[in-house]
Amino acid sequence: MMRQKQGEEAIVSNMSEVENEEQNNDQQENQSMFSVKSFLWHGGSVWDAWFSCASNQVAQVLLTLPYSFSQLGMVSGIVLQVFYGIMGSWTAYLISVLYVEYRSRKEKENVNFKNHVIQWFEVLDGLLGKYWKALGLAFNCTFLLFGSVIQLIACASNIYYINDKLDKRTWTYIFGACCATTVFIPSFHNYRIWSFLGLGMTTYTAWYLAIAALVHGQVENVTHSGPTKLVLYFTGATNILYTFGGHAVTVEIMHAMWKPQKFKYIYLLATLYVFTLTIPSAAAVYWAFGDELLNHSNAFSLLPKNAFRDSAVILMLIHQFITFGFACTPLYFVWEKVIGMHDTKSICMRALARLPVVIPIWFLAIIFPFFGPINSAVGALLVSFTVYIIPSLAHMLTYRKSSARQNAAEKPPFFMPSWTAMYVINAFVVVWVLVVGFGFGGWASMTNFIKQIDTFGLFAKCYQCKPPVVAAAPPPHSHPPSLHH
């Protein structure tokens, strides 16, 4: 009885500490509105998390969705966006539940996270053991690595439509150096203004694509033959799987919140907003250009050059810089923990320590300069496990025992009748993504990816660039025309 009483007192004490911390966070949240530095730099509110999720979900993939529609056809393109958007929101919810469970267990053990950013692989380690930690670390880091690579390739691809005096490979060198400056951004607390601006830029670009395509009208003899081949169909489907699989950074965004428990439905609300950007823009561009998109993975390449398009390109470039930082920051954290620099308070020391992470990303962007096919390959082979399969399996295993379900920090949501229903949905997600996403999608995307390598080769200098215009040579033995006065 005495031991039980002491245990209850410890829990009450811990809860009071959490309440005090929440009160301090409320004060911090209120004070932040009166501090310019905090307003621009130090964010941790629900709105900050919403902007981070929505901004991180759509970047360069906005430009490849019309390409996916040409592979899938209009109906499948819209249906799969809604389907994978809802499925992605569900697994983001599962990740948030597991984070809260892990943190509540650790805080009962008086573990302090003041100078430590919790990451997904640590949640898996704490709840399921070292093998799950290794699995989560491998998939998450590889996904984020290639996500960063895609941003660099997309930067070079986009700027080329404004200035084609330099080839795309040279632009990749330049933007690699620019994106390396993200090493100076300490954590997701410091993305407040960037997330807000990033979403504004994406919103402009999405509506520019939709309106410009409608104003342009359909090209002559336009055809909408998709879907025509299984390889193309599943390549497009996995690109959409990738679109709504941007929550490899969910745990880091949650940890940056003053009240992580409020994250539950933020990802769903962000996804609903993203639908208003992705569906109209992809549908309008596909309506206007049809099968021409099969050879143009970047929608900018088909739209006429004018001030509106150039503005959209520039805004997307800035946003891709922000998204590069989003994808790289968790990698920076992992690297800091490996070399023992994660607790260092000096921004310059941490920035210097982070630089080795950027170099392989830079190199891979130069080797594989085709970001449309890479999106699909990453979606099938990495996102399928990182974002959909592992969170669903982890949730099922964490709450497999009745004692774990009774003591769960988060109970099933109000719209879910029981734990059994949650198990059924999780099992469906695992089977669907394993068969359709990883199986068929992996086969199709790798077939398409290898085709791109065979067509253009590795280290392609200017992927999908227009051939240079060569002046016609004069016929042999020709004489210059005589001048008449």
Side-chain angles (χ1 to χ4, degrees):
M1 289 292 291
M2 182 66 71
R3 187 174 296 175
Q4 183 181 352
K5 189 175 181 181
Q6 287 174 348
E8 289 174 356
E9 288 174 355
I11 292 171
V12 170
S13 174
N14 187 57
M15 288 176 65
S16 64
E17 286 176 13
V18 171
E19 286 172 2
N20 290 334
E21 187 179 346
E22 287 187 355
Q23 288 173 0
N24 292 334
N25 288 337
D26 285 338
Q27 292 172 2
Q28 187 178 4
E29 190 170 357
N30 293 331
Q31 288 169 1
S32 69
M33 297 303 293
F34 301 100
S35 167
V36 174
K37 181 181 175 183
S38 295
F39 180 73
L40 297 176
W41 184 248
H42 192 75
S45 67
V46 170
W47 280 105
D48 288 308
W50 184 84
F51 277 115
S52 292
C53 288
S55 177
N56 186 48
Q57 205 173 110
V58 281
Q60 95 301 327
V61 78
L62 192 68
L63 309 176
T64 64
L65 284 174
Y67 167 67
S68 298
F69 269 49
S70 69
Q71 298 168 320
L72 292 163
M74 186 75 79
V75 175
S76 289
I78 294 170
V79 169
L80 285 175
Q81 276 203 46
V82 175
F83 177 69
Y84 282 127
I86 293 171
M87 188 183 285
S89 299
W90 172 255
T91 53
Y93 169 79
L94 298 182
I95 291 172
S96 71
V97 167
L98 294 172
Y99 169 87
V100 171
E101 182 68 37
Y102 168 77
R103 186 159 181 171
S104 65
R105 289 185 188 183
K106 288 296 179 183
E107 284 177 345
K108 286 175 183 176
E109 298 170 9
N110 296 319
V111 176
N112 192 338
F113 295 108
K114 187 176 181 181
N115 295 317
H116 183 92
V117 177
I118 299 172
Q119 293 188 267
W120 177 228
F121 69 90
E122 293 169 322
V123 172
L124 291 173
D125 183 28
L127 296 176
L128 296 171
K130 62 181 181 179
Y131 294 111
W132 279 87
K133 173 186 176 180
L135 194 67
L137 191 61
F139 274 104
N140 229 39
C141 288
T142 311
F143 169 38
L144 291 169
L145 178 76
F146 278 98
S148 305
V149 169
I150 288 166
Q151 300 309 319
L152 272 191
I153 299 169
C155 283
S157 177
N158 290 344
I159 193 66
Y160 184 77
Y161 297 120
I162 291 181
N163 185 338
D164 58 4
K165 291 178 182 176
L166 297 177
D167 59 75
K168 291 182 182 179
R169 188 166 66 193
T170 304
W171 280 119
T172 305
Y173 292 137
I174 294 168
F175 278 100
C178 294
C179 289
T181 57
T182 57
V183 296
F184 290 100
I185 302 176
S187 74
F188 282 98
H189 272 301
N190 313 115
Y191 274 96
R192 165 174 278 187
I193 191 65
W194 293 113
S195 297
F196 176 76
L197 291 174
L199 190 58
M201 293 165 186
T202 310
T203 302
Y204 171 88
T205 303
W207 285 108
Y208 157 74
L209 290 173
I211 294 167
L214 294 172
V215 171
H216 180 278
Q218 291 186 312
V219 295
E220 191 176 353
N221 299 321
V222 66
T223 54
H224 300 88
S225 57
T228 55
K229 297 179 181 177
L230 277 178
V231 170
L232 293 178
Y233 187 86
F234 285 108
T235 301
T238 49
N239 188 39
I240 293 179
L241 183 84
Y242 171 84
T243 303
F244 296 98
H247 37 290
V249 296
T250 300
V251 171
E252 288 83 358
I253 291 172
M254 281 188 72
H255 190 81
M257 292 179 69
W258 293 316
K259 293 182 179 178
Q261 294 84 353
K262 290 187 176 182
F263 185 86
K264 293 179 195 174
Y265 307 116
I266 286 175
Y267 198 90
L268 175 61
L269 296 173
T271 299
L272 294 176
Y273 179 77
V274 167
F275 283 154
T276 69
L277 306 181
T278 58
I279 294 175
S281 61
V285 175
Y286 178 54
W287 169 83
F289 297 100
D291 291 349
E292 282 189 30
L293 285 158
L294 288 169
N295 297 316
H296 296 83
S297 57
N298 190 323
F300 280 145
S301 63
L302 290 172
L303 292 165
K305 181 177 172 60
N306 54 38
F308 292 108
R309 194 194 77 163
D310 289 353
S311 298
V313 171
I314 291 166
L315 291 177
M316 281 304 288
L317 286 171
I318 299 169
H319 185 251
Q320 279 157 347
F321 164 80
I322 297 166
T323 309
F324 181 93
F326 266 111
C328 255
T329 299
L331 294 176
Y332 295 152
F333 292 155
V334 172
W335 179 245
E336 287 170 358
K337 290 170 184 176
V338 168
I339 63 174
M341 293 284 286
H342 190 56
D343 294 334
T344 304
K345 292 183 179 179
S346 169
I347 291 176
C348 292
M349 286 293 291
R350 288 178 72 182
L352 195 64
R354 290 171 169 189
L355 276 176
V357 176
V358 180
I359 294 168
I361 293 169
W362 208 348
F363 187 63
L364 286 167
I366 294 162
I367 298 176
F368 304 111
F370 18 89
F371 77 96
I374 286 182
N375 277 0
S376 300
V378 169
L381 305 179
L382 298 173
V383 174
S384 56
F385 281 93
T386 304
V387 170
Y388 299 97
I389 295 173
I390 292 177
S392 300
L393 285 175
H395 188 274
M396 292 167 78
L397 292 173
T398 299
Y399 297 110
R400 65 189 182 278
K401 295 180 180 177
S402 60
S403 58
R405 295 193 292 273
Q406 287 171 3
N407 299 317
E410 291 282 344
K411 302 297 181 185
F414 67 92
F415 55 84
M416 194 63 56
S418 65
W419 285 97
T420 305
M422 292 194 75
Y423 266 73
V424 170
I425 292 174
N426 289 343
F428 170 78
V429 171
V430 171
V431 173
W432 177 275
V433 176
L434 195 62
V435 174
V436 177
F438 178 72
F440 289 109
W443 160 72
S445 59
M446 288 311 297
T447 302
N448 191 34
F449 189 66
I450 292 165
K451 180 184 173 185
Q452 300 295 330
I453 294 174
D454 290 341
T455 305
F456 295 96
L458 300 176
F459 296 98
K461 193 172 185 179
C462 210
Y463 170 70
Q464 284 189 346
C465 297
K466 293 177 182 177
V469 178
V470 180
H477 308 301
S478 64
H479 299 285
S482 59
L483 298 174
H484 298 279
H485 298 283

